[in-house]
């Protein structure tokens, strides 16, 4: 692309559903020639809690190779796509903790004028999907960032049904991430990339 985009895909995932969406977004960006960093946020739960849940323990082991995000990854990026499971209609404590570490960059104005977007997973239908993304975007407004949501800008969104960001209902761990979710994730990635490239070109023009 004429104006290269640097994208950070930063997520928290306990049992792997959010991780799969993050990987889909990362793979899509990579195919578009984007510089992409696929990153997880630090885990806050005690080892005993993780070990007591087979799915959680299995995903922790499977995702051990994914680098952990730090503030420098946000500073590096032109665009950031955050992903999280919902927790009582809100962002997971792990992702929120990471966002709360960005105060230094915020104070220097280094979070502003970047593109941000988000995706979410829940155990049940609805389950706080929209409220979680809206809560996430509250932080972006404080950053001075540019929220790029997918909206209903492609037919795949009428299947996915969430204009705020890609969302998946895992059915208490029973529902695999299907093609409609992957289509929505790919569309969201492309929209973020395209609008970030246009924004960068406009600023440098």
């Amino acid at each position: 692309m004429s104006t290269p985009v640097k994208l950070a895909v930063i997520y928290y995932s306990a049992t792997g559903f959010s991780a799969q969406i993050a990987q889909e977004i990362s793979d899509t960006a990579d195919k578009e020639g984007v510089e992409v960093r696929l990153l997880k946020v630090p885990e806050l739960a005690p080892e005993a809690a993780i070990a007591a849940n087979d799915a959680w323990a299995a995903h922790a082991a499977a995702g051990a190779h994914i680098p952990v995000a730090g503030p420098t990854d946000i500073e590096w990026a032109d665009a950031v796509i955050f992903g999280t499971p919902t927790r009582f209609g809100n962002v997971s404590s792990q992702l929120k903790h990471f966002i709360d570490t960005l105060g230094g960059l915020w104070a220097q104005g280094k979070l502003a004028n970047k593109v941000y977007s988000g995706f979410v997973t829940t155990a049940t239908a609805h389950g706080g999907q929209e409220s979680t993304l809206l809560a996430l975007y509250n932080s972006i407004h404080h950053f001075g960032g540019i929220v790029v949501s997918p909206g209903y800008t492609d037919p795949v969104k009428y299947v996915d049904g969430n204009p705020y960001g890609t969302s998946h209902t895992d059915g208490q761990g029973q529902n695999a991430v299907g093609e409609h979710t992957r289509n929505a994730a790919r569309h969201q990635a492309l929209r973020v990339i395209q609008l970030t490239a246009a924004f960068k070109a406009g600023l440098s023009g």
Side-chain angles (χ1 to χ4, degrees):
M1 39 176 48
S2 58
T3 307
V5 168
K6 294 180 288 187
L7 172 67
V9 183
I10 299 177
Y11 70 94
Y12 174 70
S13 186
T15 56
F17 293 99
S18 293
Q20 291 179 57
I21 297 171
Q23 186 68 61
E24 193 71 50
I25 289 170
S26 177
D27 290 347
T28 299
D30 186 63
K31 290 174 184 175
E32 292 296 308
V34 169
E35 293 182 59
V36 59
R37 294 183 183 179
L38 177 64
L39 305 158
K40 63 187 179 186
V41 298
E43 179 61 81
L44 303 179
E47 289 293 336
I50 298 170
N53 182 313
D54 290 343
W56 198 351
H59 177 63
H65 66 289
I66 302 293
V68 174
T72 55
D73 295 302
I74 302 287
E75 186 174 2
W76 165 84
D78 300 312
V80 181
I81 300 178
F82 288 118
T84 180
T86 190
R87 294 291 185 262
F88 302 115
N90 214 318
V91 175
S92 65
S93 58
Q94 288 86 349
L95 182 60
K96 183 60 167 61
H97 179 266
F98 173 76
I99 289 172
D100 287 346
T101 68
L102 303 178
L105 291 182
W106 171 82
Q108 299 173 65
K110 292 183 176 180
L111 300 179
N113 301 333
K114 296 177 184 288
V115 168
Y116 297 87
S117 197
F119 64 89
V120 67
T121 60
T122 58
T124 59
H126 307 295
Q129 292 179 344
E130 293 181 357
S131 65
T132 296
L133 289 172
L134 289 170
L136 171 65
Y137 295 156
N138 284 338
S139 295
I140 307 312
H141 296 312
H142 282 258
F143 292 176
I146 301 159
V147 175
V148 172
S149 55
Y152 292 107
T153 55
D154 187 275
V156 300
K157 292 307 297 177
Y158 292 97
V159 179
D160 165 73
N162 190 335
Y164 301 96
T166 301
S167 58
H168 174 69
T169 302
D170 68 47
Q172 303 289 349
Q174 300 304 306
N175 298 333
V177 176
E179 197 61 22
H180 67 281
T181 302
R182 295 183 184 279
N183 286 339
R186 288 190 284 264
H187 172 64
Q188 186 169 1
L190 292 173
R191 181 166 164 79
V192 167
I193 292 164
Q194 290 164 359
L195 290 180
T196 303
F199 181 63
K200 284 189 67 176
L203 284 180
S204 62

